[in-house]
Amino acid sequence: MNMLHYFYDPFCGWCYGAAPVISSATEIDGLHIQPHGIGMLSGNQSKMMSPEWRDFVRPHETRIHALSGQVFGDSYTQELQERTDVLLDSSRPIAAMLAAEAMSGDGIPMLKRLQIAYYVEGRVITDPEEIGDIASNLGFDKEKFLTCYSKVMELDVENHINESHKAMQEAGKKGVPAFILEHNGRITELPFGRFISRPEKIKPAIESLLHL
C-alpha cells in the first residue's frame, strides 16, 4: 500500500496551516493517508485557554496565515481565545478523528472539519456535544457516533498517541506537522516547509516518488 503518514495535533496551528497540503494529497489515486495524533495537549499537558496560551500562539498564527493563507476567524481570535473556561485536551478531537475513521474511513474529513470548527468558527472541540454536532454535519448519526467516540476515549486514544510518538521517533521527527511517504518498502520525508505556501506541489512530488 502507498501510504502518507501525517503526524499532527488538533491544537497545532501549523497543522491547520497544513490542511490545504492534505487536501492536495487526497487527490492522488491509490494513496492512503494515515493520520497520527501526537497528543500535544493530552494527559498532564492539557490546559485551559488562558491569556498566556493566547499570547504564545498568536504570533505563530499570524505567520501561519501569512504563509498558508489559512484564515483564523473572528469567532476564534476575538471570542474563543478571550475565554478562560475552554479545555484544551488533544485526546478528545483525536478520539473524534479515530471514531470517524473506525466508522467510515473518514478520519481526515473529520480532522479538517474539527480544525475549521475551532480555528474559524470558534467552537469548543473538546465538548462532546460539539463533537457530536460536527459529526452529524458530516453525515454521521450523532448518537451512534458519540457511542463510538466514548469507546475510543476509554480504550483506544491513549494507545494511538503512544504509537504515534513511537512512529515519529522511528522516523526521526520531533515536531508536527510532518509527512512521511511509505512506498515499496521505502520511506521518504516530505518537508512541510516546501509545501506550506504551495500546497498543490505535494501532489506531483508524491506522484513522482510513487513512479520511481
Side-chain angles (χ1 to χ4, degrees), residues 125-138:
I125 60 170
T126 53
D127 181 347
E129 278 299 309
E130 287 280 16
I131 289 172
D133 288 342
I134 290 166
S136 179
N137 290 338
L138 285 175

PDB file of all heavy atoms in Angstrom, residues 125-138:
ATOM      1  N   ILE A 125     -13.919  22.261  20.608  1.00  0.00           N
ATOM      2  CA  ILE A 125     -13.872  20.925  20.022  1.00  0.00           C
ATOM      3  C   ILE A 125     -13.453  19.841  21.022  1.00  0.00           C
ATOM      4  O   ILE A 125     -13.180  18.706  20.629  1.00  0.00           O
ATOM      5  CB  ILE A 125     -12.956  20.880  18.780  1.00  0.00           C
ATOM      6  CG1 ILE A 125     -11.517  21.283  19.129  1.00  0.00           C
ATOM      7  CG2 ILE A 125     -13.531  21.763  17.673  1.00  0.00           C
ATOM      8  CD1 ILE A 125     -10.528  21.032  17.986  1.00  0.00           C
ATOM      9  N   THR A 126     -13.449  20.205  22.297  1.00  0.00           N
ATOM     10  CA  THR A 126     -13.296  19.192  23.344  1.00  0.00           C
ATOM     11  C   THR A 126     -14.624  18.882  24.015  1.00  0.00           C
ATOM     12  O   THR A 126     -14.691  18.002  24.876  1.00  0.00           O
ATOM     13  CB  THR A 126     -12.293  19.658  24.418  1.00  0.00           C
ATOM     14  OG1 THR A 126     -12.676  20.949  24.896  1.00  0.00           O
ATOM     15  CG2 THR A 126     -10.882  19.716  23.844  1.00  0.00           C
ATOM     16  N   ASP A 127     -15.663  19.574  23.651  1.00  0.00           N
ATOM     17  CA  ASP A 127     -17.000  19.359  24.199  1.00  0.00           C
ATOM     18  C   ASP A 127     -17.677  18.231  23.415  1.00  0.00           C
ATOM     19  O   ASP A 127     -17.871  18.363  22.201  1.00  0.00           O
ATOM     20  CB  ASP A 127     -17.808  20.648  24.077  1.00  0.00           C
ATOM     21  CG  ASP A 127     -19.214  20.532  24.635  1.00  0.00           C
ATOM     22  OD1 ASP A 127     -19.675  19.401  24.903  1.00  0.00           O
ATOM     23  OD2 ASP A 127     -19.875  21.575  24.780  1.00  0.00           O
ATOM     24  N   PRO A 128     -18.037  17.130  24.065  1.00  0.00           N
ATOM     25  CA  PRO A 128     -18.660  16.017  23.335  1.00  0.00           C
ATOM     26  C   PRO A 128     -19.899  16.422  22.542  1.00  0.00           C
ATOM     27  O   PRO A 128     -20.138  15.887  21.453  1.00  0.00           O
ATOM     28  CB  PRO A 128     -19.002  15.017  24.440  1.00  0.00           C
ATOM     29  CG  PRO A 128     -18.001  15.281  25.505  1.00  0.00           C
ATOM     30  CD  PRO A 128     -17.795  16.775  25.478  1.00  0.00           C
ATOM     31  N   GLU A 129     -20.689  17.368  23.063  1.00  0.00           N
ATOM     32  CA  GLU A 129     -21.868  17.807  22.324  1.00  0.00           C
ATOM     33  C   GLU A 129     -21.472  18.498  21.023  1.00  0.00           C
ATOM     34  O   GLU A 129     -22.097  18.293  19.978  1.00  0.00           O
ATOM     35  CB  GLU A 129     -22.722  18.732  23.186  1.00  0.00           C
ATOM     36  CG  GLU A 129     -23.630  18.007  24.148  1.00  0.00           C
ATOM     37  CD  GLU A 129     -24.629  17.094  23.438  1.00  0.00           C
ATOM     38  OE1 GLU A 129     -25.327  17.559  22.508  1.00  0.00           O
ATOM     39  OE2 GLU A 129     -24.705  15.898  23.803  1.00  0.00           O
ATOM     40  N   GLU A 130     -20.451  19.331  21.095  1.00  0.00           N
ATOM     41  CA  GLU A 130     -19.957  19.980  19.877  1.00  0.00           C
ATOM     42  C   GLU A 130     -19.406  18.936  18.912  1.00  0.00           C
ATOM     43  O   GLU A 130     -19.641  18.996  17.700  1.00  0.00           O
ATOM     44  CB  GLU A 130     -18.866  21.007  20.220  1.00  0.00           C
ATOM     45  CG  GLU A 130     -19.380  22.273  20.869  1.00  0.00           C
ATOM     46  CD  GLU A 130     -19.951  23.262  19.857  1.00  0.00           C
ATOM     47  OE1 GLU A 130     -20.223  22.879  18.704  1.00  0.00           O
ATOM     48  OE2 GLU A 130     -20.124  24.426  20.243  1.00  0.00           O
ATOM     49  N   ILE A 131     -18.661  17.981  19.444  1.00  0.00           N
ATOM     50  CA  ILE A 131     -18.121  16.906  18.602  1.00  0.00           C
ATOM     51  C   ILE A 131     -19.257  16.143  17.935  1.00  0.00           C
ATOM     52  O   ILE A 131     -19.192  15.831  16.735  1.00  0.00           O
ATOM     53  CB  ILE A 131     -17.226  15.973  19.443  1.00  0.00           C
ATOM     54  CG1 ILE A 131     -15.915  16.689  19.817  1.00  0.00           C
ATOM     55  CG2 ILE A 131     -16.928  14.676  18.691  1.00  0.00           C
ATOM     56  CD1 ILE A 131     -15.054  15.930  20.809  1.00  0.00           C
ATOM     57  N   GLY A 132     -20.298  15.840  18.698  1.00  0.00           N
ATOM     58  CA  GLY A 132     -21.444  15.139  18.125  1.00  0.00           C
ATOM     59  C   GLY A 132     -22.129  15.934  17.030  1.00  0.00           C
ATOM     60  O   GLY A 132     -22.529  15.380  16.000  1.00  0.00           O
ATOM     61  N   ASP A 133     -22.258  17.254  17.240  1.00  0.00           N
ATOM     62  CA  ASP A 133     -22.889  18.097  16.221  1.00  0.00           C
ATOM     63  C   ASP A 133     -22.036  18.159  14.955  1.00  0.00           C
ATOM     64  O   ASP A 133     -22.562  18.137  13.833  1.00  0.00           O
ATOM     65  CB  ASP A 133     -23.101  19.509  16.772  1.00  0.00           C
ATOM     66  CG  ASP A 133     -24.206  19.570  17.816  1.00  0.00           C
ATOM     67  OD1 ASP A 133     -25.023  18.628  17.872  1.00  0.00           O
ATOM     68  OD2 ASP A 133     -24.241  20.560  18.578  1.00  0.00           O
ATOM     69  N   ILE A 134     -20.729  18.239  15.136  1.00  0.00           N
ATOM     70  CA  ILE A 134     -19.822  18.257  13.979  1.00  0.00           C
ATOM     71  C   ILE A 134     -19.933  16.938  13.215  1.00  0.00           C
ATOM     72  O   ILE A 134     -19.988  16.916  11.978  1.00  0.00           O
ATOM     73  CB  ILE A 134     -18.380  18.518  14.446  1.00  0.00           C
ATOM     74  CG1 ILE A 134     -18.242  19.959  14.948  1.00  0.00           C
ATOM     75  CG2 ILE A 134     -17.377  18.242  13.322  1.00  0.00           C
ATOM     76  CD1 ILE A 134     -16.978  20.227  15.735  1.00  0.00           C
ATOM     77  N   ALA A 135     -19.983  15.831  13.949  1.00  0.00           N
ATOM     78  CA  ALA A 135     -20.135  14.517  13.307  1.00  0.00           C
ATOM     79  C   ALA A 135     -21.454  14.440  12.548  1.00  0.00           C
ATOM     80  O   ALA A 135     -21.519  13.911  11.419  1.00  0.00           O
ATOM     81  CB  ALA A 135     -20.052  13.419  14.357  1.00  0.00           C
ATOM     82  N   SER A 136     -22.513  14.970  13.145  1.00  0.00           N
ATOM     83  CA  SER A 136     -23.817  14.971  12.481  1.00  0.00           C
ATOM     84  C   SER A 136     -23.774  15.763  11.183  1.00  0.00           C
ATOM     85  O   SER A 136     -24.330  15.354  10.159  1.00  0.00           O
ATOM     86  CB  SER A 136     -24.869  15.558  13.427  1.00  0.00           C
ATOM     87  OG  SER A 136     -26.143  15.587  12.811  1.00  0.00           O
ATOM     88  N   ASN A 137     -23.074  16.899  11.200  1.00  0.00           N
ATOM     89  CA  ASN A 137     -22.935  17.715   9.990  1.00  0.00           C
ATOM     90  C   ASN A 137     -22.181  16.986   8.891  1.00  0.00           C
ATOM     91  O   ASN A 137     -22.350  17.283   7.700  1.00  0.00           O
ATOM     92  CB  ASN A 137     -22.218  19.026  10.320  1.00  0.00           C
ATOM     93  CG  ASN A 137     -23.061  19.952  11.157  1.00  0.00           C
ATOM     94  OD1 ASN A 137     -24.279  19.846  11.188  1.00  0.00           O
ATOM     95  ND2 ASN A 137     -22.421  20.882  11.870  1.00  0.00           N
ATOM     96  N   LEU A 138     -21.332  16.021   9.296  1.00  0.00           N
ATOM     97  CA  LEU A 138     -20.587  15.229   8.310  1.00  0.00           C
ATOM     98  C   LEU A 138     -21.375  14.015   7.846  1.00  0.00           C
ATOM     99  O   LEU A 138     -20.883  13.244   7.030  1.00  0.00           O
ATOM    100  CB  LEU A 138     -19.246  14.778   8.904  1.00  0.00           C
ATOM    101  CG  LEU A 138     -18.161  15.854   9.024  1.00  0.00           C
ATOM    102  CD1 LEU A 138     -16.938  15.291   9.745  1.00  0.00           C
ATOM    103  CD2 LEU A 138     -17.761  16.386   7.652  1.00  0.00           C
TER     104      LEU A 138
END
